[in-house]
Amino acid sequence: QACVARVDGRGVAPWACAATEREVASLPPAEVMAAGAAAPLAKKAEAFLKRSRKWDSEFLCLGSKQQEAFSVPRPEELLPRITANLDYFCVNYCICLTLFAIIAIVVYPQLLVLVCVFSVLWYMLLTRPSHIKVQVGALLVTKKHLQMCLGVVNGLVVFFLACITIFATIGASLLAVLCHAAFRNVPSKAKDKMAEEEAREP
């Protein structure tokens, strides 16, 4: 790409552009690929977070109208209400699940140690070149094999050392999400969206 930076309205000197290009070219391929993939992921994450609803007036119904508050649904309303709220508050629910996971990691030191150790191991493995090969006796192990082995070890260690904690956290977080989705009245905006979708259907 051409160097388009400006300093006091003037173009950057050609030697500066060449130096920048040399710096980029000197980076390892893994870092160049990571930098190229980070921008689209950041944009997707930003677009996803923009769908978050207001926590006070919409999610918690603080100061909202009575029809927007919480209520016990009738049996025939339960499933449609949960479906509509899961779709409307999906970003808020994802944030809540993330908070549950962070709290569990902080509260349980054993889980915190596992997360730190395996995060370092995965980072060290994923940042290696894709063509890396390790000689283990008579076997030649590729990066894909190393990823599979680390995944199996990761799963077994977590299952035997933190199984109860993880399942308890998942169960508590999902229960909280489902309770909110069941008792929260469907917002008027979500109802309008559902009406539009039903009108589009033949």
Side-chain angles (χ1 to χ4, degrees), residues 99-168:
L99 289 177
F100 270 98
I102 293 174
I103 292 172
I105 292 173
V106 173
V107 170
Y108 297 98
Q110 188 179 33
L111 197 58
L112 178 60
V113 172
L114 290 177
V115 170
C116 293
V117 170
F118 282 105
S119 295
V120 172
L121 292 177
W122 277 110
Y123 176 80
M124 293 174 59
L125 179 58
L126 294 177
T127 53
R128 298 299 92 191
S130 58
H131 55 78
I132 186 174
K133 295 180 180 179
V134 179
Q135 187 75 33
V136 181
L139 298 177
L140 192 62
V141 182
T142 63
K143 183 178 180 179
K144 185 176 181 181
H145 295 143
L146 293 174
Q147 290 176 340
M148 294 173 62
C149 292
L150 183 56
V152 171
V153 173
N154 194 167
L156 291 175
V157 171
V158 170
F159 181 79
F160 286 107
L161 297 182
C163 177
I164 298 177
T165 302
I166 291 176
F167 282 123

Side-chain angles (χ1 to χ4, degrees), residues 42-190:
K43 291 181 179 179
K44 290 181 180 179
E46 183 180 358
F48 180 74
L49 291 176
K50 284 183 178 179
R51 294 183 56 194
S52 176
R53 310 301 176 181
K54 295 181 179 179
W55 291 96
D56 51 354
S57 59
E58 291 191 80
F59 191 77
L60 298 176
C61 304
L62 299 178
S64 60
K65 299 178 181 179
Q66 185 65 28
Q67 59 268 24
E68 292 285 337
F70 294 88
S71 66
V72 179
R74 294 193 297 269
E76 63 273 10
E77 294 178 345
L78 182 60
L79 186 58
R81 179 184 289 192
I82 292 176
T83 304
N85 282 331
L86 287 176
D87 179 68
Y88 188 75
F89 293 110
C90 63
V91 178
N92 299 75
Y93 290 146
C94 288
I95 295 174
C96 290
L97 294 176
T98 304
L99 289 177
F100 270 98
I102 293 174
I103 292 172
I105 292 173
V106 173
V107 170
Y108 297 98
Q110 188 179 33
L111 197 58
L112 178 60
V113 172
L114 290 177
V115 170
C116 293
V117 170
F118 282 105
S119 295
V120 172
L121 292 177
W122 277 110
Y123 176 80
M124 293 174 59
L125 179 58
L126 294 177
T127 53
R128 298 299 92 191
S130 58
H131 55 78
I132 186 174
K133 295 180 180 179
V134 179
Q135 187 75 33
V136 181
L139 298 177
L140 192 62
V141 182
T142 63
K143 183 178 180 179
K144 185 176 181 181
H145 295 143
L146 293 174
Q147 290 176 340
M148 294 173 62
C149 292
L150 183 56
V152 171
V153 173
N154 194 167
L156 291 175
V157 171
V158 170
F159 181 79
F160 286 107
L161 297 182
C163 177
I164 298 177
T165 302
I166 291 176
F167 282 123
T169 303
I170 294 174
S173 57
L174 291 180
L175 180 62
V177 167
L178 289 176
C179 285
H180 181 277
F183 292 104
R184 171 67 164 89
N185 285 328
V186 179
S188 56
K189 294 181 181 179

Side-chain angles (χ1 to χ4, degrees), residues 18-42:
T20 304
E21 292 176 357
R22 286 197 300 270
E23 291 176 359
V24 174
S26 63
L27 290 174
E31 293 187 10
V32 175
M33 293 176 63
L41 289 176

